[in-house]
Amino acid sequence: MKKPDILRKVADAGVVAVLRADSPEDVARIARHAVKGGIKAIEITMTVPFALRAVEQLAGEFSSSASPDDENYAIIGVGTVLDPETARAAIMAGAEFVVAPSLNPDTVKLCNRYCVPVMPGAMTIREIQSALELGVDIVKLFPGNAFSPGIISAIKGPLPQANIMPTGGVSLANLKEWIQAGAVAVGIGSDLTKEAVKTGDYTLIERQAAAYMEAYRNAVRR
């Protein structure tokens, strides 16, 4: 899958599930429930022990080349990538996009070398401009809970070409505000999984994922 296609599919997905767990088996299980609930962009964070085992397994189970209506359709990426070495290992394991908490130029260059979308975290106009100059297509606004959705229009004043994906603090209550403010997509984390982890009922992830996708569809309909 070519880089522009993956970027388009992430934007079309609208919601990226940022998944953490105590083992690769557990995070893969969470990912399957999220996909079943309708979230088709999955980010496995490198804070998961042996995270690349889960990335490799999920990349084998799901395909971004399948029809979006296929139950095996999903885009598998990796997050919390701090350096180019980790980015390359993730790409070799099958990750189709790379997300980082901050802007590391060497990580961006590595991903560009392999034509893999990279989404570094940024908080300031200077960081976002630097990311664009390095060839970043989507900038992760992180942590999103440090801002209100109005920050996107403020960013797009001087940088209308910037594609912004807020992550951290996005919820069912404010997702519509972020999307209608101009976010290209949103990243969601613990709100998707906390009840399932607490109760042991992983079908709750499917229901929460479905609720997020319904909120997203309502937001884009305006």
Side-chain angles (χ1 to χ4, degrees), residues 1 19 24 26 31 40 42 49 56 102 112 121 132 144 153 157-158 202 209-210:
M1 186 66 64
L19 303 183
D26 201 24
K40 300 300 184 177
I42 302 296
E56 187 170 5
S102 62
N112 287 342
L132 295 176
S153 60
Y202 280 58

Side-chain angles (χ1 to χ4, degrees), residues 156-218:
K156 284 182 171 289
L159 299 174
Q161 72 276 28
N163 292 313
I164 306 297
M165 181 178 74
T167 302
V170 177
S171 66
L172 284 171
N174 63 23
L175 183 149
K176 183 175 182 178
E177 293 179 66
W178 282 109
I179 293 298
Q180 294 189 350
V184 67
V186 297
I188 60 168
S190 61
D191 192 51
L192 179 67
T193 60
K194 60 185 178 184
E195 289 302 317
V197 172
K198 187 187 303 182
T199 64
D201 181 2
Y202 280 58
T203 63
L204 292 174
I205 295 171
E206 297 173 30
R207 296 176 214 169
Q208 190 75 338
Y212 266 100
M213 293 313 301
E214 181 63 21
Y216 173 74
R217 287 188 290 269
N218 288 337

Side-chain angles (χ1 to χ4, degrees), residues 13-222:
V15 178
V16 178
V18 182
L19 303 183
R20 296 178 172 83
D22 294 329
S23 72
E25 294 79 16
D26 201 24
V27 80
R29 180 185 179 192
I30 291 170
R32 294 184 193 103
H33 283 285
V35 172
K36 193 171 181 180
I39 296 178
K40 300 300 184 177
I42 302 296
E43 175 190 329
I44 304 298
T45 68
M46 288 301 297
T47 54
V48 178
F50 305 104
L52 295 186
R53 292 182 187 174
V55 172
E56 187 170 5
Q57 184 174 8
L58 292 167
E61 292 179 27
F62 297 101
S63 172
S64 61
S65 298
S67 166
D69 296 325
D70 193 305
E71 64 179 10
N72 293 320
Y73 170 79
I75 314 152
I76 306 301
V78 66
T80 322
V81 173
L82 304 181
D83 49 57
E85 294 81 6
T86 304
R88 185 180 186 281
I91 293 166
M92 295 300 104
E96 293 188 290
F97 64 90
V98 171
V99 184
S102 62
L103 179 61
N104 181 311
D106 289 335
T107 299
V108 174
K109 291 174 186 176
L110 184 283
C111 292
N112 287 342
R113 183 179 305 142
Y114 287 95
C115 293
V116 171
V118 56
M119 307 170 196
M123 290 185 71
T124 67
I125 291 290
R126 174 67 260 178
E127 290 174 329
I128 295 169
Q129 180 179 330
S130 296
L132 295 176
E133 290 168 354
L134 287 166
V136 170
D137 295 286
I138 296 177
V139 178
K140 180 175 79 166
L141 183 67
F142 180 77
N145 55 9
F147 306 95
S148 69
I151 188 67
I152 293 184
S153 60
I155 292 168
K156 284 182 171 289
L159 299 174
Q161 72 276 28
N163 292 313
I164 306 297
M165 181 178 74
T167 302
V170 177
S171 66
L172 284 171
N174 63 23
L175 183 149
K176 183 175 182 178
E177 293 179 66
W178 282 109
I179 293 298
Q180 294 189 350
V184 67
V186 297
I188 60 168
S190 61
D191 192 51
L192 179 67
T193 60
K194 60 185 178 184
E195 289 302 317
V197 172
K198 187 187 303 182
T199 64
D201 181 2
Y202 280 58
T203 63
L204 292 174
I205 295 171
E206 297 173 30
R207 296 176 214 169
Q208 190 75 338
Y212 266 100
M213 293 313 301
E214 181 63 21
Y216 173 74
R217 287 188 290 269
N218 288 337
V220 296
R221 289 191 198 110
R222 293 188 181 271

